Amino acid sequence: MFRLQGSKVLAVDMTGDAVKAKNGSMVAYDGEMAFKKLSGGGEGLRGMVTRRITGEQMTVMEVRGQGTCWFADRASEINLVTLRGDTLYVESSNFLAADAGLRTGTSFTGTRGASQGNGLFTTTVEGHGQVAIMSDGPAVALRVGAQYPLTVDPGAYVAHQGNLRQSFQSGVTFRTLLGEGGGEAFQIRFEGDGLVYVQPSERNTIAGDV
């Protein structure tokens, strides 16, 4: 069972089940725990090869035992997402932990990934269970509806779920209008029905200030 202690520490109550977590993110545990590094982001040989070719970096460990294990990473804010047979798309740098029964993989994101400098693939998590994702500052889940498409700064994007379509577009931003932008501005446009998680801080991108 996943639960938050404050907003920056994830506690997982273990009863023999396994958890996948970012390698090195364990900060404490009680009881008996065993830790095993997983290759290819927990996806086996194929996942390891795919991530190496695409430059996508995600090192995952499997934690199994009896007791409670606490996870955190660089004082990042943590958000819990419950999956009910659907898929969560999350940047590998924002992934913290997931129920071991959830399947992880990689998904082609096209030019969005290129604009962020994070490669052309992102991490997918699917099935039934909980996922813990991280953000620089408290993340906000924004609803996308049929009549309400959403445009997101690629540097603020964390994850999304639901029946959403992505498109990559250039455009003018307030920063550009104020003369604070440098280079061409890019955004991600989401259409359909689902949630997009954004953080109140922008990671550096290679597409210019957005």
Side-chain angles (χ1 to χ4, degrees):
M1 177 182 179
F2 287 17
R3 54 188 172 87
L4 294 179
Q5 292 198 226
S7 62
K8 299 181 180 181
V9 178
L10 171 69
V12 182
D13 298 319
M14 312 278 287
T15 57
D17 296 330
V19 170
K20 294 178 184 176
K22 181 179 180 179
N23 196 44
S25 63
M26 185 277 295
V27 294
Y29 69 88
D30 61 21
E32 298 292 331
M33 298 289 166
F35 301 87
K36 176 183 178 183
K37 184 177 178 179
L38 300 177
S39 62
E43 304 158 42
L45 180 61
R46 180 178 179 182
M48 180 173 61
V49 171
T50 299
R51 289 182 182 278
R52 183 167 297 174
I53 291 174
T54 62
E56 179 80 355
Q57 299 295 321
M58 187 176 77
T59 307
V60 173
M61 61 181 177
E62 180 185 78
V63 184
R64 187 183 298 273
Q66 299 279 348
T68 301
C69 196
W70 289 269
F71 302 92
D73 187 57
R74 301 182 184 182
S76 298
E77 298 282 336
I78 301 171
N79 301 268
L80 298 183
V81 178
T82 300
L83 297 180
R84 298 179 175 85
D86 52 328
T87 301
L88 177 72
Y89 300 82
V90 57
E91 293 299 314
S92 59
S93 59
N94 296 104
F95 173 87
L96 179 62
D99 287 328
L102 291 169
R103 298 179 299 280
T104 57
T106 53
S107 176
F108 181 72
T109 58
T111 47
R112 179 185 63 75
S115 72
Q116 290 181 251
N118 288 347
L120 297 179
F121 286 75
T122 196
T123 295
T124 59
V125 187
E126 59 181 317
H128 295 266
Q130 289 183 294
V131 186
I133 60 176
M134 301 180 293
S135 57
D136 185 4
V140 177
L142 302 177
R143 168 64 65 179
V144 181
Q147 303 301 319
Y148 299 95
L150 181 70
T151 301
V152 176
D153 184 321
Y157 169 84
V158 172
H160 74 272
Q161 66 184 128
N163 184 22
L164 293 175
R165 301 180 302 279
Q166 298 179 64
S167 59
F168 181 73
Q169 60 186 28
S170 61
V172 177
T173 68
F174 289 114
R175 288 190 181 186
T176 303
L177 291 173
L178 293 172
E180 298 178 0
E184 190 174 5
F186 297 92
Q187 299 99 30
I188 317 164
R189 181 181 174 89
F190 290 92
E191 297 177 272
D193 181 27
L195 293 173
V196 178
Y197 299 85
V198 298
Q199 61 186 9
S201 176
E202 298 176 18
R203 65 175 69 83
N204 291 328
T205 71
I206 64 173
D209 294 331
V210 184

